[in-house]
Amino acid sequence: MNKKWSDLNKLMQSQLKREETFPDGLETLFSLRGDLFAKLQDFKNRLGRADFNAAPFLGVDGYHSKTIAYSVWHIFRIEDIVAHSLIAGDSQIFFAGNYSRTIGSPITTTGNELSGSQITDFSGALDLERLFDYAARVKISTENILRGLPFRALRQRIPEERKTALLSLGVVSTDESAFWLIDYWCNKNIRGLIQMPFSRHWIMHVEASIRIADKLCGGRQFFGG
């Protein structure tokens, strides 16, 4: 893991454990997410459209077996679902912002159920401009939700009625490769959700995307570091 990102992640976790350092923990989290989002923007600015659909490690184990477009979708669909349907109990940005019609995605789920050529075909269907617009809005909305939480809320788990409401939306595939996510999220408290998926999940997928980008650039570590 990138040392700067790893150090920020560890510091954030420590700060969120104590009420007096809770505000600092949020700022550390937002700094980490800002760095990671800047790297995603770097891909957008420096790669061609076809590079977002490329899967040079297709079929291997690990997050780098996906595509960069898939990773952007996956990071922010999961965050949107968790932040809005489970924590805030309001409408997901995906639906409220009409992205279900404009991104061009054939699915509304997290994408966990996709494999092989399904991933590359899916990636090619996405409108990249709308996808990045969606990602930016989800990032901002999540951070606004977290800013509004008191420290005591970090110990709270997801109410059963929100889990039921999420199931009714059909935004997590019933395939065994995806459906486990619902129990995984709902068995965590909000502090746990900040770690996964609001921080460490980002790191893993951004680092996987860097590995893909470096491979596409001939292994020169053009996007590494």
Side-chain angles (χ1 to χ4, degrees), residues 205-223:
H205 278 283
V206 172
E207 290 195 329
S209 294
I210 290 171
R211 186 168 178 181
I212 292 169
D214 284 344
K215 180 71 172 179
L216 295 175
C217 293
R220 298 192 305 274
Q221 293 193 325
F222 192 59
F223 287 88

Side-chain angles (χ1 to χ4, degrees), residues 56-218:
F57 301 104
L58 192 66
V60 305
D61 290 332
Y63 292 139
H64 60 295
S65 66
K66 316 298 185 182
T67 70
I68 297 174
Y70 172 94
S71 290
V72 176
W73 168 272
H74 180 71
I75 290 168
F76 292 99
R77 277 306 287 131
I78 283 182
E79 179 156 312
D80 194 9
I81 290 166
V82 172
H84 288 278
S85 291
L86 295 180
I87 295 177
D90 60 10
S91 180
Q92 295 172 28
I93 299 296
F94 188 69
F95 299 112
N98 205 31
Y99 292 100
S100 58
R101 296 176 61 86
T102 61
I103 286 182
S105 173
I107 62 173
T108 62
T109 62
T110 64
N112 286 69
E113 69 276 16
L114 302 179
S115 62
S117 62
Q118 292 176 323
I119 293 172
T120 53
D121 291 346
F122 163 77
S123 301
L126 300 174
D127 182 315
L128 210 59
E129 292 295 330
R130 296 296 288 165
L131 176 62
F132 271 83
D133 182 64
Y134 170 63
R137 285 192 60 186
V138 171
K139 174 184 179 294
I140 292 168
S141 68
T142 296
E143 292 169 7
N144 286 338
I145 289 168
L146 295 180
R147 283 190 178 97
L149 293 177
F151 174 74
R152 64 181 179 276
L154 297 190
R155 297 181 180 180
Q156 295 175 358
R157 295 187 182 273
I158 303 303
E160 189 65 29
E161 60 269 22
R162 291 191 184 170
K163 178 179 179 180
T164 300
L166 175 59
L167 286 166
S168 72
L169 292 175
V171 293
V172 178
S173 171
T174 56
D175 187 275
E176 65 180 3
S177 62
F179 200 64
W180 61 273
L181 282 168
I182 295 178
D183 283 338
Y184 175 78
W185 296 328
C186 293
N187 286 335
K188 289 181 176 290
N189 59 22
I190 292 177
R191 183 185 291 112
L193 292 173
I194 290 173
Q195 173 66 5
M196 200 65 165
F198 295 165
S199 54
R200 191 165 183 271
H201 189 240
W202 279 46
I203 295 172
M204 293 188 298
H205 278 283
V206 172
E207 290 195 329
S209 294
I210 290 171
R211 186 168 178 181
I212 292 169
D214 284 344
K215 180 71 172 179
L216 295 175
C217 293

